[in-house]
Amino acid sequence: MNAVPLVALVGNPNAGKTALFNALTGARQKVGNYPGVTVERHAGRMALDDGRPIELVDLPGTYSLDPSSPDEQVTRDVVLGKQAGERLPDALVVVADASNLENHLRFVLQLRQLGRPMIVALNMIDMATRDGLTIDADALSAALGVPVVTTVAVRKRGLDDLRAALAGVLLGSRPAAPAEIESDIRHFQREARRIAADAIVEQPGGRAFTRGVDRVVLHPVAGPLILATVMLVMFQAVYAWSEAPIGWIEGLQGWLAESAAAYLPENFLRDLLIEGIINGVGSVVVFLPQILILFFFILLLEATGYMVRAAFLMDRLMSGIGLSGRAFIPLLSSFACAIPGIMAARSIDDPRERLTTILIAPLMTCSARLPVYAVLIGAFIPAISVGPGIGLQGLVLFGLYVAGILGAIAAAFVLRMTATRGKGGGFMMELPRYQLPSIRDVLIGMWQRAWLFLRRAGTIIMGVTVALWLLASYPVAPEGVKQSEYSIAGRVASGLEVVLKPIGFNHEMSLAVIPAMAAREVAVSALQTVYSIDADADEEGQALGAQLAARWSLPTALAFLAWFVFAPQCLSTIAVARRETNGWKWPIVMIVYLFAAAYVFAGITFWTATALGL
Ligand SMILES: Nc1nc2c(ncn2[C@@H]2O[C@H](COP(=O)(O)OP(=O)(O)OP(=O)(O)O)[C@@H](O)[C@H]2O)c(=O)[nH]1
Ligand SMILES: [Mg+2]
């Protein structure tokens, strides 16, 4: 064999394929305790014990070779060698959850019919043991006619055996292809039950813990209360825990700006460095602690298995608007960023429901909005307590998230009545066992988010901010004229201001929303940059929040917040929506309805707040 052998990881959702992939290749693909984490193929390199390289592909989980959703289609095509530009895998590693053997065996049996070299990785054997389940792997191997290796992917256990077994099957032993091809799912069901019963040596009640917890967490009254409490705690923590680290970053930023001012000669570069980069980009980076706290919670929810329960609780509510709880997970991941959220919609089988989910995903409050919200809340909402442990700032932040969700519900409702009319699918999702989150995984997840955010700050946010600084600094205004109005950027903003003035936007806001199309956070750095450029000597170095509080009225600030709840201020999201819907039609629908909603709601907010005399 010349080419590097290709091995594919397949199996039911949430079996631990990606965990195994990461353990074998050293990759850091996303792992989570809910079905549908992986929605596209990922390839990596691993080596057998004799050093021979292998190309390993991780695939989306699927229950059978009859795909019902776009992500499952990928798996089927790769396994059957029908994927364009990809070889037929030389061997399959079928990952099965040992504590859910009967269900997972069905797919193993269907795959065995292909007559391809394969091994079964009986994963999560630790969980099976915890449940008091004992499985005879040799008996299972004999019954299936393929090698069976027990593994604990998250603890890297069983990998040596797996590599040895893989070396064996790659050398040529393959399962005897059955005489007749079965396609009746009930046949697999019966076979799976029989083989599982033979292989399981001991099986007590099992899953007692998970069932006990679920009795409370899924309770019709207690369940939603718990969910609301979890969310509230999360938003309180974003404020309560971030104060000190934000102070450190601000301290560092101030020190950098002062040092640059003290040591660099007064020229163009010094202004660019201080006003554009240190203050501009710094005004965004300051929010790193809050973003990390938010992700800490999201990662915990994903890893423990609570996420799917939340989806389950939301299902009834969502079916009212023609979506199932299935859509909840892509929507929840959109809290991080709409891009993975829109991609996660691949796990939804009903095409109309999937499209609806894609179209409303940008309404979920992504982490790029957090800096915008946080700076305005910090400037305009007093940090007072409104109840035991409940601060007003956290409550307002929670309210903005809720506003996005309500907007999404309304949009889904309208879409399901019109453009994507149709019946919603039912909620069919396995409830995974509760797991203790691995601290390492949570830390890696947070590190990845931090890195992603800082990279964004150092590239796109910095690039756009510097470009804006240039456009806002030139041509130099004559004495007595405001630089931010005289400059190129200022003149463009004046044009836009005509449209935005009725909803309470001022000149700086009009100036900030254009570059913020590249990335929402730029709205913050743009405002900071404009104020730095215009600053009098006594305002120089003032924090952005203080400047906003001094210059904007409360209705104006609220209108800006309302705008950011709805406005599709993100080119990458639009690009991904185009890719996922294969055309421009739906992204354009998305842009139009979101901008219209942003305009209308910012206007309503402004006029209501003004009428109330705020
Ligand atoms: N206790 C235990 N947990 C595991 C093991 N392998 C994976 N997990 C956990 O099981 C969950 C699912 O793991 P993933 O690797 O994301 O599963 P997957 O098969 O890739 O799932 P999809 O991508 O959704 O198809 C995660 O919470 C993992 O941490 C294991 O051997 N033991
Ligand atoms: Mg996966």
Side-chain angles (χ1 to χ4, degrees), residues 297-500:
F297 280 94
I298 292 182
L299 288 165
L300 278 191
L301 296 187
E302 286 181 350
T304 50
Y306 184 71
M307 183 97 135
V308 185
R309 273 72 187 187
F312 184 83
L313 287 172
M314 297 300 289
D315 183 51
R316 193 154 350 129
L317 196 72
M318 300 196 35
S319 66
I321 53 163
L323 288 176
S324 67
R326 264 243 168 250
F328 182 76
I329 287 187
L331 293 178
L332 209 72
S333 11
S334 303
F335 277 139
C337 171
I339 293 168
I342 287 175
M343 286 174 58
R346 289 183 193 176
S347 65
I348 300 175
D349 40 11
D350 180 55
R352 293 210 194 90
E353 190 172 341
R354 172 165 177 248
L355 180 59
T356 314
T357 309
I358 291 175
L359 291 176
I360 65 172
L363 281 169
M364 299 291 122
T365 304
C366 65
S367 58
R369 285 177 175 96
L370 199 55
V372 182
Y373 288 175
V375 82
L376 288 171
I377 290 176
F380 290 94
I381 308 295
I384 52 172
S385 164
V386 287
I390 304 179
L392 186 60
Q393 293 188 330
L395 202 62
V396 171
L397 185 66
F398 182 53
L400 286 166
Y401 275 74
V402 171
I405 295 170
L406 292 179
I409 290 177
F413 185 73
V414 173
L415 284 165
R416 291 299 267 167
M417 301 293 272
T418 54
T420 61
R421 186 200 299 269
K423 225 165 55 73
F427 183 67
M428 284 263 291
M429 192 176 278
E430 267 179 82
L431 294 180
R433 271 176 317 254
Y434 286 106
Q435 290 252 34
L436 219 53
S438 125
I439 297 182
R440 189 171 165 273
D441 280 353
V442 172
L443 288 180
I444 289 178
M446 288 175 64
W447 161 250
Q448 285 176 330
R449 295 313 307 195
W451 173 237
L452 221 70
F453 176 71
L454 291 175
R455 207 176 57 188
R456 213 169 130 86
T459 52
I460 182 154
I461 294 175
M462 180 146 96
V464 176
T465 306
V466 166
L468 180 76
W469 181 85
L470 289 170
L471 292 174
S473 301
Y474 297 97
V476 178
E479 197 62 43
V481 179
K482 243 180 157 184
Q483 178 61 39
S484 66
E485 294 189 358
Y486 191 77
S487 61
I488 301 175
R491 290 175 207 182
V492 175
S494 303
L496 189 62
E497 197 188 350
V498 177
V499 185
L500 295 178

Side-chain angles (χ1 to χ4, degrees), residues 10-22 29-39 58-62 71 95 122-128 130 151-157 302-305 432-433 435-436 438 441:
V10 282
N12 286 19
N14 216 36
K17 297 175 293 300
T18 305
L20 203 56
F21 177 80
N22 288 348
Q29 288 299 333
K30 188 172 170 67
V31 166
N33 193 11
Y34 57 95
V37 181
T38 310
V39 290
D58 180 27
L59 294 169
T62 169
D71 59 340
V95 185
L122 198 55
N123 193 37
M124 305 215 189
I125 205 78
D126 57 330
M127 295 302 266
R130 189 188 80 176
T151 56
V152 182
V154 285
R155 304 251 171 289
K156 295 195 159 76
R157 266 189 241 142
E302 286 181 350
T304 50
R433 271 176 317 254
Q435 290 252 34
L436 219 53
S438 125
D441 280 353

Side-chain angles (χ1 to χ4, degrees), residues 102-103 105-106 109 184-195:
E102 191 182 307
N103 285 331
L105 273 183
R106 260 198 324 255
L109 290 170
D184 183 8
I185 192 76
R186 271 168 307 181
H187 167 80
F188 295 129
Q189 179 88 49
R190 273 194 306 274
E191 275 288 288
R193 191 170 308 148
R194 184 180 63 75
I195 295 178

